[in-house]
Amino acid sequence: MTVAQQSLISPTANPELEKALRDRVDRRSAIAGGLGELEPLAVRLGLVQNSLTPRFRDPVLALFAADHGIVVDGVGAQWGRATKDQVQMALHAQLPVSVFARLQGLHLTVVDCGVADNLPPHARLLARKVAHGTRNARTAPAMSLEQAHAGVRVGMEIADNLPGNVLACASMGQGSAECAALVLSRLADLPVRDFVVSGPTMRQDDLVHLLDVLHGAQARHRDAKDPMDLLAAFGGHELAVMVGAMLVAASKRSLIIVDGIAACAALKLASLICAPVTDYAVFCRSHVHRGLDEALALFHASALLELGMDSADGTGAALAWPMIRSAAALLTDLHEVAEARLSMRPEAGAQVPTLGA
């Protein structure tokens, strides 16, 4: 698939199927009581797969890792750990997301989209480095237009080779959230401040410095408007790769689980290339960062779970996966009451046991 082949992503809208899915869910509710948010989620999953009985196989949780040149200006140093160290911790089960993914049956993969350092081989590491990090978006385009397109193609190739029909997307790397904020600010025509204020306890001097750097990047690339131009201007090799992966995942009618502001920025860029890609997305969150509230609002969406965490992106996706499976089970594994009664009827001539027998 190429970016030009936009028609390969079909909208999920199907009024007849949606009515049948709602009727199916309502029959369950009439017998066993309502199940709240699981019910519309079940309908959504049926529409994604264009089926009354959606089933998932070989789910992948992909952490797209990259370094960002804007970090040299003293911003985006997440937990004080270099991106290469974050990657190694994820690969060696030293982060909660790694353990949760294993417990929930998700195949954890770290994609090296553009980590500055060379990483040693690992069974769960996918080496797809576009470049050794980006340039500083405040002083130059973060990447060339050719690199932006190359990153999208890498993502397309990754999603095209996935055996399953679920792709959870999250980012990893210093400066990732800040570059995503720059992209979303320009796309939504909203102040970048809205996407970087973490909450009421954020230190004012930290915010002032961060905004000074980000406003400098915005001024440097004030004419960037086209999705690919924006991607090249503000950077994030992981954003480019996620864009391509989301486009192809949607073309295969796979479910896309979006976790974090970088994944939101990638989805927004992908939607400008092909709008129906958002039909295939559900959202979750790994932290309470206020900027993520603004990102989710762009899709008129809320997270599947609100747990008050302050963890690495991907953690929320791993924890939301059992909820998604449970919603699908309402349609696939829960037998109709009539069927259950039929299966319980005694065979002809069989003695029906009574209490005390």
Side-chain angles (χ1 to χ4, degrees), residues 3 21 27 30 35 52 96 105 116 127 137 157-158 191 227 240 264 284 303 333 340 342:
V3 174
L21 287 164
R27 288 198 299 274
L35 289 170
L52 278 172
E157 176 258 327
I158 289 171
C264 285
C284 50
D333 297 342
L342 184 64

Side-chain angles (χ1 to χ4, degrees), residues 4-20:
Q5 292 174 291
Q6 301 171 10
S7 61
L8 291 181
I9 302 180
S10 302
T12 61
N14 184 333
E16 184 177 348
L17 175 61
E18 182 172 354
K19 182 181 185 304

Side-chain angles (χ1 to χ4, degrees), residues 4-352:
Q5 292 174 291
Q6 301 171 10
S7 61
L8 291 181
I9 302 180
S10 302
T12 61
N14 184 333
E16 184 177 348
L17 175 61
E18 182 172 354
K19 182 181 185 304
L21 287 164
R22 291 191 185 281
D23 289 345
R24 196 175 179 90
V25 169
D26 289 344
R27 288 198 299 274
R28 270 76 167 151
S29 300
I31 300 300
L35 289 170
E37 294 302 318
L38 282 185
E39 296 179 5
L41 178 57
V43 173
R44 183 82 181 277
L45 299 177
L47 291 172
V48 164
Q49 290 196 5
N50 196 32
S51 170
L52 278 172
T53 54
R55 297 185 183 278
F56 298 109
R57 64 183 189 280
D58 300 321
V60 170
L61 170 53
L63 304 179
F64 296 85
D67 275 301
H68 305 79
I70 203 167
V71 172
V72 302
D73 280 334
V75 302
Q78 191 179 38
W79 297 304
R81 296 193 193 100
T83 303
K84 65 174 181 178
D85 295 331
Q86 295 178 35
V87 168
Q88 292 301 320
M89 292 178 73
L91 292 173
H92 293 92
Q94 294 171 324
L95 293 179
V97 61
S98 310
V99 176
F100 295 158
R102 176 174 51 80
L103 287 174
Q104 307 305 343
L106 288 161
H107 180 80
L108 179 72
T109 297
V110 180
V111 184
D112 177 5
C113 309
V115 179
D117 301 272
N118 289 319
L119 299 171
H122 190 280
R124 294 189 180 275
L125 177 65
L126 201 55
R128 294 293 187 273
K129 201 187 298 285
V130 178
H132 291 264
T134 61
R135 295 184 291 271
N136 185 352
R138 187 181 61 81
T139 59
M143 66 179 91
S144 68
L145 197 56
E146 291 73 19
Q147 287 175 325
H149 281 283
V152 173
R153 288 194 297 272
V154 165
M156 288 179 166
E157 176 258 327
I158 289 171
D160 195 42
N161 289 320
L162 289 179
N165 59 1
V166 180
L167 176 62
C169 296
S171 75
M172 174 172 282
Q174 293 189 347
S176 179
E178 289 72 21
C179 289
L182 287 168
V183 170
L184 289 173
S185 171
R186 182 64 54 83
L187 291 176
D189 195 23
L190 291 171
V192 71
R193 177 191 177 97
D194 293 354
F195 297 99
V196 297
V197 174
S198 60
T201 60
M202 187 175 188
R203 286 167 49 96
Q204 187 63 26
D205 51 348
D206 291 342
L207 177 60
V208 168
H209 173 66
L210 175 58
L211 290 178
D212 183 55
V213 173
L214 297 184
H215 288 156
Q218 287 182 315
R220 175 70 176 75
H221 307 288
R222 60 172 57 89
D223 295 328
K225 297 286 182 9
D226 176 81
M228 296 307 294
D229 289 340
L230 268 178
L231 192 51
F234 297 126
H237 293 303
E238 82 288 2
L239 289 185
V241 176
M242 275 194 281
V243 167
M246 289 174 174
L247 288 170
V248 168
S251 76
K252 296 166 65 176
R253 298 199 80 102
S254 294
L255 180 69
I256 304 168
I257 305 174
V258 177
D259 187 348
I261 193 168
C264 285
L267 181 64
K268 194 66 178 176
L269 286 166
S271 73
L272 295 177
I273 296 170
C274 189
V277 68
T278 57
D279 289 1
Y280 295 86
V282 295
F283 298 83
C284 50
R285 68 188 306 160
S286 300
H287 46 78
V288 295
H289 196 291
R290 186 178 290 174
L292 184 54
D293 295 335
E294 298 296 330
L296 292 173
L298 298 180
F299 300 96
H300 308 288
S302 58
L304 293 178
L305 294 176
E306 294 279 355
L307 299 177
M309 297 186 296
D310 188 17
S311 188
D313 286 349
T315 309
L319 294 175
W321 177 236
M323 178 181 176
I324 295 170
R325 291 180 61 200
S326 298
L330 290 179
L331 298 168
T332 58
D333 297 342
L334 192 64
H335 297 294
E336 297 283 0
V337 171
E339 295 171 356
R341 284 176 177 165
L342 184 64
S343 66
M344 292 171 63
R345 288 178 183 171
E347 296 180 5
Q351 184 177 356
V352 179

